[in-house]
């Protein structure tokens, strides 16, 4: 591997490695090595595996890929086009997770709205757990009794 950025160990003790520097997924199982996504992936940075699928976040291609366990491509998910996603919001998938219902959660570089949440068909449904950001205007609590005393002294 070359500069791996993520890995996943499944129930069968099969290890999946996002081999970022070599643009592929490495699968290690029972002393066998298999490669997935060669020629398709560019910079896989996140991986999640379910009983029947391998989910890959590729930050360079700006896509999420879903592969069969055999390695064949099942689906490509590009930047959401729904208005709620945001007209100028970039989609740069870095990490990925999937829940029991098949909903996909993507950490997208630069997103301050939270995790990008996609349904089990890959369609954008919203943001999950939005980030708290500081505002540029802060209101400071003032102790009124000290303020009155200060004003009386003036």
């Amino acid at each position: 591997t070359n500069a791996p950025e993520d890995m996943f160990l499944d129930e069968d003790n099969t290890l999946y490695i996002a081999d970022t520097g070599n643009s592929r997924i490495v699968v290690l199982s029972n002393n066998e090595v298999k490669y997935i996504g060669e020629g398709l992936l560019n910079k896989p940075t996140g991986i999640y595996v379910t009983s029947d699928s391998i989910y890959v976040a590729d930050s360079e291609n700006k896509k999420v890929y879903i592969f069969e366990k055999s390695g064949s491509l099942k689906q490509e998910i590009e930047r959401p086009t729904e208005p709620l996603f945001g007209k100028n919001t970039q989609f740069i998938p870095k990490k990925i997770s999937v829940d029991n219902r098949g909903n996909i959660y993507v950490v997208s570089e630069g997103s301050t709205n939270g995790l990008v949440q996609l349904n089990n068909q890959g369609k954008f449904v919203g943001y999950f757990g939005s980030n708290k950001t500081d505002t540029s205007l802060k209101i400071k609590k003032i102790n009124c009794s000290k303020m009155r005393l200060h004003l009386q002294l003036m």
Side-chain angles (χ1 to χ4, degrees):
T1 60
N2 179 11
E5 291 200 25
D6 203 4
M7 64 182 162
F8 189 95
L9 183 66
D10 73 6
E11 295 172 350
D12 300 326
N13 287 321
T14 300
L15 182 62
Y16 299 82
I17 302 169
D19 188 5
T20 309
N22 289 321
S23 304
R24 63 187 179 190
I25 300 301
V26 177
V27 182
L28 304 170
S29 178
N30 299 322
N31 296 323
E32 293 180 26
V33 179
K34 181 169 81 171
Y35 302 108
I36 294 175
E38 287 185 301
L40 177 65
L41 299 175
N42 200 345
K43 191 175 181 184
T45 54
I47 187 163
Y48 191 88
V49 181
T50 63
S51 61
D52 63 348
S53 300
I54 302 165
Y55 295 79
V56 179
D58 189 315
S59 63
E60 190 72 24
N61 287 343
K62 299 180 180 175
K63 294 180 183 180
V64 168
Y65 294 95
I66 304 173
F67 295 93
E68 301 281 348
K69 283 278 191 99
S70 65
S72 60
L73 182 64
K74 213 170 164 177
Q75 184 178 0
E76 286 183 33
I77 301 170
E78 297 184 354
R79 181 191 177 281
T81 56
E82 290 81 1
L84 180 62
F85 183 75
K87 184 178 178 181
N88 298 318
T89 303
Q90 290 191 359
F91 186 63
I92 306 172
K94 296 294 277 184
K95 302 296 178 202
I96 192 163
S97 187
V98 180
D99 68 18
N100 291 339
R101 294 179 306 252
N103 292 314
I104 304 165
Y105 301 89
V106 179
V107 175
S108 180
E109 184 178 303
S111 175
T112 58
N113 296 321
L115 299 175
V116 176
Q117 185 178 4
L118 308 168
N119 66 17
N120 58 11
Q121 302 298 311
K123 298 295 180 195
F124 178 73
V125 293
Y127 291 101
F128 181 82
S130 62
N131 296 326
K132 181 181 177 186
T133 57
D134 288 333
T135 58
S136 58
L137 175 64
K138 292 188 179 187
I139 298 175
K140 187 175 180 181
K141 186 176 177 181
I142 300 172
N143 185 326
C144 291
S145 61
K146 284 184 181 179
M147 182 59 107
R148 275 187 289 236
L149 179 61
H150 179 71
L151 291 173
Q152 287 174 357
L153 292 175
M154 292 178 95

